[in-house]
Amino acid sequence: MVAANRGYMITDQLGVVSSRNLNLPMIKSLPLHGAGGTLVYRDYYLFWQEERTTPITEEFAKTLEREIAKLED
């Protein structure tokens, strides 16, 4: 529906599909505003069981944190 210019797709900047990576002229990204004109935002959290901590888990958490920080800049 979005590609046919007949609908909306609500997603966040971390979503896989966005106008930045689709490169289609009919798809536009628009910021969502809440009451009073403030931007709508979402908090993300990462949890795992402490006894299941591995070097790979910790590296994934660091990588995710770096990628989210890039979006905030």
Side-chain angles (χ1 to χ4, degrees):
M1 296 298 285
V2 172
N5 199 23
R6 298 175 140 196
Y8 301 95
M9 177 175 58
I10 298 175
T11 184
D12 56 26
Q13 290 183 358
L14 293 177
V16 173
V17 179
S18 73
S19 63
R20 283 177 232 120
N21 62 16
L22 276 182
N23 221 7
L24 297 174
M26 75 284 289
I27 297 178
K28 297 180 209 170
S29 291
L30 302 173
L32 292 178
H33 295 275
T38 59
L39 283 174
V40 175
Y41 70 94
R42 183 181 310 189
D43 292 324
Y44 290 89
Y45 301 91
L46 180 64
F47 299 95
W48 65 88
Q49 294 177 337
E50 187 175 358
E51 62 272 4
R52 294 183 153 208
T53 299
T54 67
I56 293 172
T57 307
E58 292 178 357
E59 185 58 34
F60 173 75
K62 289 176 189 173
T63 301
L64 185 60
E65 186 176 16
R66 280 193 306 269
E67 292 301 312
I68 290 172
K70 286 180 191 177
L71 294 173
E72 293 174 348
D73 290 340

